[in-house]
Amino acid sequence: MRPFRLLLLLFTTLLLAGCGSYYHVSVDSLRDVQQPSGTRYLLVPGNEGVEESDLLFREVVRQMTPAFQAKGYSIVENEKDADNVAKVSYWMEEPRVRIDTSTVTRSYPVVVGRGKYRHVEYVYVDEPVVSSTTIYSANLLIEAYEGSSKQPLGRQIWRTSLRCSGGTEDFRTLLFSITRVLPSVLGTESRGMQQYQVFLGEDGEIEVTNLRDSMF
């Protein structure tokens, strides 16, 4: 019995290792050919009525910071220390319900014949199965402008827009998935929409896949 138990434990461990959630992130980014030399950015809210002291805005900035650092940018808190300004907007969309229709084949017993010649046969019927899934989406838009002035803003030098969709309505989870993709796309020229898949494992595993690259 001991070898069987070991095999069962190994099989269960492998199943649990694959547990997690998948999120779909789409990216559309534009970049001006003429870029400024400065790399110090002041981040300001793009949402109407949101101040720089807003806790959610500060959380968004915190999660975005590694992406800026990966590009060689530094984030400053004072306007006088900035070379450029990045306006940060974020929002949730209305949930969407996706309807999926499939078929399942079921068998039903039917008695045929009479008397001692009666017997059971099975009739196979394809029955429709309808299921629904609620999809939640979060958006993050970062628009960078040359110069340190908040008002008026200077020349726009790049804009990166990201949208994450998944089965959770928790904004911070969706934002976390967005920021896994952000380091490779921030301030770039995407040349159209790019699609990514982010896997968040229950054991802490994180995997980011460029769906365009995975096709080749």
Side-chain angles (χ1 to χ4, degrees):
M1 292 293 292
R2 181 171 295 177
F4 174 77
R5 289 178 179 176
L6 289 174
L7 286 173
L8 181 60
L9 178 61
L10 177 61
F11 180 73
T12 304
T13 302
L14 290 173
L15 285 177
L16 291 176
C19 294
S21 301
Y22 288 90
Y23 299 90
H24 180 264
V25 179
S26 58
V27 180
D28 188 11
S29 188
L30 294 168
R31 177 184 175 91
D32 193 356
V33 175
Q34 183 182 354
Q35 291 290 304
S37 58
T39 59
R40 296 174 300 178
Y41 281 80
L42 174 69
L43 271 55
V44 299
N47 298 65
E48 185 177 354
V50 174
E51 301 294 333
E52 293 177 36
S53 60
D54 183 89
L55 289 176
L56 183 55
F57 172 74
R58 288 160 56 184
E59 172 65 14
V60 172
V61 170
R62 184 188 69 81
Q63 291 207 37
M64 288 171 43
T65 297
F68 273 76
Q69 293 173 341
K71 290 294 183 180
Y73 302 150
S74 58
I75 296 176
V76 298
E77 296 184 358
N78 296 318
E79 189 172 349
K80 62 181 179 62
D81 297 327
D83 299 312
N84 306 296
V85 174
K87 187 169 68 172
V88 181
S89 306
Y90 47 89
W91 66 95
M92 289 285 291
E93 296 181 9
E94 289 294 324
R96 295 175 291 113
V97 178
R98 184 180 66 194
I99 305 297
D100 297 311
T101 303
S102 59
T103 59
V104 60
T105 302
R106 304 185 189 277
S107 61
Y108 295 94
V110 177
V111 177
V112 297
R114 294 184 178 181
K116 64 180 181 178
Y117 299 105
R118 289 196 308 171
H119 63 280
V120 177
E121 293 184 355
Y122 287 88
V123 176
Y124 295 91
V125 179
D126 290 334
E127 296 182 352
V129 176
V130 180
S131 60
S132 63
T133 304
T134 302
I135 305 297
Y136 301 91
S137 297
N139 292 267
L140 176 65
L141 173 63
I142 311 166
E143 302 169 285
Y145 297 86
E146 185 178 28
S148 61
S149 174
K150 297 180 186 180
Q151 293 293 337
L153 292 169
R155 175 179 62 92
Q156 190 174 63
I157 51 179
W158 53 263
R159 72 183 303 276
T160 301
S161 175
L162 303 98
R163 179 175 182 265
C164 179
S165 299
T168 179
E169 60 182 331
D170 181 60
F171 172 75
R172 285 196 281 180
T173 299
L174 297 172
L175 175 66
F176 181 82
S177 299
I178 286 176
T179 54
R180 299 314 94 187
V181 175
L182 191 58
S184 61
V185 302
L186 180 71
T188 64
E189 175 63 56
S190 65
R191 302 187 185 280
M193 191 77 72
Q194 292 186 5
Q195 310 293 338
Y196 291 81
Q197 180 178 270
V198 178
F199 173 74
L200 303 182
E202 294 181 357
D203 58 353
E205 178 188 1
I206 302 174
E207 182 178 335
V208 179
T209 304
N210 187 326
L211 297 181
R212 182 179 58 185
D213 293 344
S214 64
M215 296 174 61
F216 298 97

